[in-house]
Amino acid sequence: MICDDAPQRDGPTGKADVARSAEQDFPLVFANLPADRHHQTVATGVAFLLVAAAVAIAPFASIQLGRIDAFIPVLQTALAIADGVTASLLFAQYAIQPQRALLAVASAYICSGSFAFLQTLSFPGGYAPNGLIGDGLNTPGWLYVLWHTTFPAAILIYALTKHTDGAERPRGSIRATILATVAAVMSMVAVLTWIVATKAQYLPSFYTDDVRQQTQFGNQINLVLALWGATTLAVLLSRRHTILDLWLLVTLLACMPNFLVAMFASSVRFSVGWYAARGFVLVSSCMLLVVLIIETMLLYSRLASAIALQRRELAYRNLSIQAVTGALAHELRSPLAAITLNANTARLQLRSAPVNVADIEELLGDIEADGLRAGAIISSIRELTTKEVHQGTSTNPASSAQLALRLLKHDLRAEGITVTAELEHDLPDVSIDGLELQQVLLNLVRNAMDAMKARPAAARLLQLKASFDGQSNVVVSVHDSGPGIPDQYRERIFDPFFSTKLEGMGLGLGISANLIEKNGGKLRLGKSSSEGSVFELVLPVAG
């Protein structure tokens, strides 16, 4: 475990570690958060429901329903708004941490929202009997094809480029990059829309004179769109790592029934299958938006917790530093002044004749005594870095451990650390304030995270255990899978002001150890090897 007291390496590897650490520092972007088991379970459940719904609807897909002219304008206007908000949130993610691949995903949603709204304008019966743009027959179909071609294409670009993004910021301003991306995408949409709206007679037809009869080409294009979406889905699946990747997979899967129902059941307008297909498209459009909003709120909650913890830690550090420096200045002034005075007097005695040896010996004795007093003062300063013990307070160690893990949940997930908590049931309360125990555990867990940064993600394991020894103590241990603490530092890791980090104060473990000792417990290094370190808290049971 690397802490304030552990050695730090320099050079290319160290700089790379710093760069990776800076990349993952708060605020984290949604696109970089790894998909944990909770997200995988929820996404699998949503995918299962979508497949089940498609299977249940398929037998009834060819049943003709009444024509509802307001259905397409209402549904696809809502869809366009949802896609626009999603694109805005993705651009905001890019502004926080520029990654070119995010521009591709945002572009996908701009294309989706734009073509959805344009198809609404061209759809017969929507805003006009024959639509406001196009020929009223095949233009809506071609806009639909462009809609479901450009969206997977942009997602495919994201999947192929997301691992090639560098950590450097773009050369131009972020705002200019976003505006240029929006302008390029909208220009492409405008050109393609102009082609299918004014040159529809030169393009293959999807329908005959009756919108209820689709041509063979219309049936074949659904197969092409299904294969195109499946290809994108397969590529993204092979490169999946983050929450964004996971929910883009679910979004692409939600679009598939749209084509499958049309291929194998019914592509006739205003049938059960036709209405259901548009419903699936709306669900797929809102999927990522909902997840983005939820994750944004979680990140906001984490920001609030991080700021509160940071302010508390900063205030505590400032208080400790002020106490140490103030005490040193005040307490050492007297013995140092006495040492200086006695040294000057001894020098004058040596210059006088005859030399009074007895007086010089007495002065040297005074200097020695003042030096010992200064050393004692320095030794006592460490007491100022510990908090006042809250007499009579107690807390449940399991609750404090769980709270510490919750506070660091996002940090642990961002670092790719697998956490195992083995907390015995019905643990007795221990004699320490809950906030104090929580801060000690936070310090130990953060040290463990630092220790494992150089390890591969799959090898980063953190174990937090709490057990009752059956007598009078509860033992809480933090076990990491880092490189261990070198032998020459193991005896000094709890010493105050001992640190090999340039930015370290060397107070973390020293303060924690003194705090635990003042409450009658002990903080110790259980073991340390190349497989990791174990720090143990031995806490007395509350009387």
Side-chain angles (χ1 to χ4, degrees), residues 69-107:
D69 288 334
F71 177 76
I72 285 293
V74 171
L75 181 140
Q76 294 193 181
T77 299
L79 187 151
I81 293 174
D83 284 344
V85 174
T86 304
S88 299
L89 291 175
L90 289 167
F91 280 128
Q93 298 277 305
Y94 174 81
I96 295 173
Q97 189 166 352
Q99 294 178 340
R100 291 185 297 273
L102 282 175
L103 295 178
V105 185
S107 299

Side-chain angles (χ1 to χ4, degrees), residues 31-35 162-163 236 238-243 245-246:
N32 287 345
L33 291 175
K162 70 190 187 79
H163 292 304
L236 186 59
S238 67
R239 304 169 70 85
R240 176 172 58 90
H241 290 288
T242 67
I243 297 174
D245 301 338
L246 179 66

Side-chain angles (χ1 to χ4, degrees), residues 8-248:
Q8 299 294 303
R9 293 175 299 175
D10 203 356
T13 303
K15 292 179 181 178
D17 290 341
V18 172
R20 284 194 296 270
S21 176
E23 244 180 70
Q24 292 181 335
D25 279 349
F26 195 87
L28 294 170
V29 297
F30 172 77
N32 287 345
L33 291 175
D36 57 18
R37 186 173 301 174
H38 171 72
H39 278 281
Q40 292 171 358
T41 301
V42 174
T44 301
V46 172
F48 176 80
L49 291 176
L50 291 171
V51 173
V55 172
I57 293 172
F60 312 99
S62 59
I63 298 177
Q64 196 70 24
L65 299 178
R67 175 170 177 165
I68 304 175
D69 288 334
F71 177 76
I72 285 293
V74 171
L75 181 140
Q76 294 193 181
T77 299
L79 187 151
I81 293 174
D83 284 344
V85 174
T86 304
S88 299
L89 291 175
L90 289 167
F91 280 128
Q93 298 277 305
Y94 174 81
I96 295 173
Q97 189 166 352
Q99 294 178 340
R100 291 185 297 273
L102 282 175
L103 295 178
V105 185
S107 299
Y109 279 89
I110 293 177
C111 289
S112 176
S114 299
F115 283 124
F117 184 71
L118 290 168
Q119 195 204 27
T120 303
L121 297 180
S122 67
F123 201 84
Y127 292 108
N130 292 319
L132 294 177
I133 60 174
D135 64 355
L137 191 63
N138 288 303
T139 297
W142 275 109
L143 287 171
Y144 182 83
V145 171
L146 293 174
W147 174 4
H148 292 286
T149 301
T150 55
F151 182 82
I155 300 300
L156 183 61
I157 294 173
Y158 161 77
L160 295 175
T161 60
K162 70 190 187 79
H163 292 304
T164 62
D165 272 354
E168 297 182 359
R169 297 179 71 84
R171 293 181 180 178
S173 70
I174 291 176
R175 180 179 298 180
T177 302
I178 293 175
L179 291 176
T181 301
V182 174
V185 173
M186 295 303 294
S187 298
M188 181 196 69
V189 170
V191 171
L192 293 176
T193 302
W194 177 81
I195 292 174
V196 299
T198 61
K199 309 296 180 181
Q201 65 272 24
Y202 301 110
L203 301 174
S205 297
F206 291 106
Y207 294 96
T208 60
D209 293 336
D210 189 349
V211 295
R212 292 173 298 179
Q213 295 181 0
Q214 194 167 9
T215 63
Q216 186 67 24
F217 174 76
N219 290 324
Q220 292 172 348
I221 202 68
N222 283 302
L223 174 61
V224 173
L225 292 175
L227 292 175
W228 179 232
T231 300
T232 303
L233 193 149
V235 173
L236 186 59
L237 182 63
S238 67
R239 304 169 70 85
R240 176 172 58 90
H241 290 288
T242 67
I243 297 174
L244 178 59
D245 301 338
L246 179 66
W247 287 102
L248 284 176

Side-chain angles (χ1 to χ4, degrees), residues 485-542:
I485 299 173
D487 295 340
Q488 64 269 29
Y489 296 114
R490 293 179 187 177
E491 297 298 326
R492 302 187 61 192
I493 57 174
F494 295 111
D495 291 347
F497 303 106
F498 172 73
S499 177
T500 55
K501 285 169 134 183
L502 293 177
E503 72 280 6
M505 292 177 58
L507 292 174
L509 285 176
I511 291 175
S512 297
N514 285 338
L515 181 60
I516 297 300
E517 288 175 6
K518 282 200 168 190
N519 285 276
K522 185 175 181 60
L523 172 60
R524 66 194 181 194
L525 177 62
K527 67 175 184 178
S528 185
S529 66
S530 59
E531 297 179 354
S533 302
V534 179
F535 280 83
E536 295 177 340
L537 289 171
V538 181
L539 304 168
V541 174

Side-chain angles (χ1 to χ4, degrees), residues 430-464:
V430 292
S431 298
I432 187 173
D433 180 69
L435 183 59
E436 293 175 347
L437 178 56
Q438 174 193 322
Q439 289 183 335
V440 171
L441 289 172
L442 286 173
N443 181 55
L444 293 177
V445 173
R446 283 176 178 147
N447 288 344
M449 292 167 60
D450 291 339
M452 296 183 285
K453 281 187 176 181
R455 296 290 197 193
R460 297 175 186 174
L461 306 176
L462 176 69
Q463 290 182 320
L464 186 60

